């Protein structure tokens, strides 16, 4: 039967088979960023194939046809993103741009004589930038997942990449090394920082240790939150994660979190210690702005 199928027929089947992936499937929200990034690069490949397929049935012979194809791809991309937004996915103008890049590359392949050189140059530049962004994200993610027992010591230039609420790396106040992370927290009901995704595999260790600096003249109560991927994808109930408060005296404080307590924290199940996703540190009812400094966050075996 395969002998009866022409290459064009196989391409039609491939395009039709891949189309549902715009609305279903794909990496979960807790997959490493480079996996999600790589998945989104599929927009370029899909529209390269789809535009090439279109050109095989309707040859491009004039520039107005090129403009019409690109305008149609733009409108189709906008509709796809609007539909995706309605089914729980994020609207992404970046993916729309990837669609146009894929289509432009296909037009260069099938109708380069009618394509302005500046257009293909721009598309190739965007492609190279996207591929370099993927390579950088993959290098960053894999390095972070392979430096156990260290979680963060703020010595790398990209240390703030996955922190939420952390504002700067500073050499002014450190516990060890040359730099520490600082967060300028505002007064409020909940004020803090979180690292997601954090180092995923915490198996084989006994404690999480970190250094936290309290710049105020009175004791502050810091809450440590830890959860796994299963919690992140659930209703995120308070009883399904680890939450424990620690008193910070003025100056540097050495916090130790027993991982046995983390594993047993969720009600009715065990925390997946090889699937940790988020580490959060926050203050409840902070009545004045506070400069929180963190350093040397790591797992230990003692």
């Amino acid at each position: 039967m395969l002998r009866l199928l022409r290459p064009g027929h196989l391409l039609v089947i491939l395009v039709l088979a891949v189309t549902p992936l715009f609305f279903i499937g794909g990496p979960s929200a807790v997959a490493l960023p480079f996996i999600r990034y790589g998945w989104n690069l599929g927009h370029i490949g899909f529209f390269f194939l789809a535009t090439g397929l279109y050109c095989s049935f309707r040859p491009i012979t004039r520039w107005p046809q090129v403009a019409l194809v690109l305008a149609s791809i733009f409108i189709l991309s906008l509709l796809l993103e609007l539909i995706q937004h309605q089914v729980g996915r994020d609207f992404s103008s970046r993916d729309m741009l990837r669609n146009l890049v894929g289509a432009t590359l296909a037009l260069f392949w099938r109708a380069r004589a009618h394509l302005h050189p500046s257009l293909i140059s721009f598309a190739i530049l965007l492609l190279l930038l996207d591929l370099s962004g993927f390579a950088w994200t993959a290098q960053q993610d894999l390095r972070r997942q392979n430096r156990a027992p260290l979680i963060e010591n703020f010595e790398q230039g990209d240390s703030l990449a996955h922190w939420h609420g952390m504002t700067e790396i500073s050499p002014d106040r450190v516990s060890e090394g040359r730099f520490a992370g600082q967060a300028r927290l505002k007064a409020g009901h909940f004020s803090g920082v979180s690292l997601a995704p954090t180092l995923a595999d915490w198996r084989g260790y006994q404690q999480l240790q970190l250094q936290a600096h309290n710049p105020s003249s009175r004791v502050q109560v810091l809450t440590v939150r830890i959860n796994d991927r299963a919690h992140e994808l659930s209703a995120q109930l308070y009883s399904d994660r680890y939450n424990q408060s620690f008193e910070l005296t003025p100056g540097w404080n050495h916090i130790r979190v027993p991982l046995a307590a983390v594993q047993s924290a969720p009600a009715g199940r065990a925390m997946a210690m090889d699937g940790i996703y988020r580490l959060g540190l926050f203050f409840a009812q902070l009545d004045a702005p506070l400069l929180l400094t963190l350093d040397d966050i790591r797992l230990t075996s003692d």
Side-chain angles (χ1 to χ4, degrees):
M1 182 176 178
L2 289 176
R3 292 179 179 178
L4 300 178
L5 293 176
R6 297 178 180 178
H9 296 155
L10 292 173
L11 193 55
V12 170
I13 294 172
L14 178 61
V15 169
L16 291 176
V18 171
T19 299
L21 296 180
F22 280 98
F23 312 105
I24 57 174
S28 73
V30 296
L32 286 175
F34 91 93
I35 295 176
R36 299 198 303 272
Y37 199 132
W39 175 267
N40 288 330
L41 287 177
H43 283 260
I44 297 173
F46 176 86
F47 277 88
F48 177 84
L49 293 176
T51 305
L53 178 62
Y54 174 84
C55 291
S56 67
F57 289 101
R58 290 183 175 271
I60 303 296
T61 58
R62 296 177 296 128
W63 159 248
Q65 291 177 288
V66 171
L68 180 61
V69 168
L70 293 177
S72 300
I73 294 296
F74 175 81
I75 295 172
L76 176 60
S77 300
L78 180 61
L79 291 174
L80 284 172
E81 293 301 322
L82 290 173
I83 295 172
Q84 286 182 332
H85 185 66
Q86 295 301 315
V87 298
R89 297 194 177 187
D90 293 332
F91 183 97
S92 175
S93 56
R94 192 171 185 178
D95 285 344
M96 292 178 60
L97 195 58
R98 288 174 174 137
N99 298 346
L100 289 169
V101 168
T104 303
L105 293 175
L107 290 170
F108 178 72
W109 169 41
R110 301 302 298 266
R112 70 183 65 184
H114 310 289
L115 203 63
H116 197 279
S118 61
L119 185 61
I120 185 59
S121 297
F122 186 59
I124 291 175
L125 175 62
L126 292 178
L127 175 64
L128 293 176
L129 288 174
D130 223 1
L131 291 175
S132 64
F134 170 72
W136 182 84
T137 303
Q139 184 273 337
Q140 179 190 64
D141 286 347
L142 294 176
R143 178 179 60 81
R144 285 178 172 274
Q145 293 304 315
N146 287 281
R147 64 177 183 176
L150 178 67
I151 293 177
E152 186 61 77
N153 61 359
F154 302 99
E155 298 297 318
Q156 302 294 325
D158 60 357
S159 292
L160 299 187
H162 294 320
W163 281 95
H164 305 270
M166 193 72 72
T167 53
E168 59 189 291
I169 297 175
S170 173
D172 298 334
R173 180 184 292 132
V174 299
S175 172
E176 63 84 35
R178 297 174 300 158
F179 301 101
Q182 292 187 336
R184 299 183 182 277
L185 304 179
K186 298 179 180 179
H189 187 54
F190 291 110
S191 301
V193 298
S194 65
L195 176 61
T198 185
L199 175 69
D201 195 347
W202 292 20
R203 294 175 299 177
Y205 299 96
Q206 275 67 56
Q207 291 190 89
L208 166 70
Q209 297 188 10
L210 62 96
Q211 309 291 334
H213 186 272
N214 173 14
S216 71
S217 58
R218 58 190 179 88
V219 171
Q220 300 284 353
V221 179
L222 178 71
T223 298
V224 177
R225 165 188 168 165
I226 300 168
N227 66 262
D228 57 8
R229 294 180 182 131
H231 174 87
E232 199 75 18
L233 295 173
S234 70
Q236 300 193 20
L237 299 176
Y238 180 87
S239 60
D240 190 55
R241 61 177 179 253
Y242 175 84
N243 288 273
Q244 183 61 51
S245 296
F246 298 84
E247 289 189 347
L248 299 186
T249 58
W252 281 105
N253 294 259
H254 185 58
I255 296 176
R256 297 178 178 86
V257 177
L259 295 189
V262 174
Q263 187 173 22
S264 62
R269 71 179 184 94
M271 183 92 69
M273 301 306 288
D274 60 343
I276 301 298
Y277 183 75
R278 185 181 300 275
L279 168 64
L281 304 108
F282 64 89
F283 298 95
Q285 306 296 343
L286 193 62
D287 55 8
L290 184 75
L291 178 63
L292 174 66
T293 305
L294 300 174
D295 204 357
D296 196 28
I297 306 172
R298 65 177 61 242
L299 304 173
T300 66
S301 299
D302 53 6

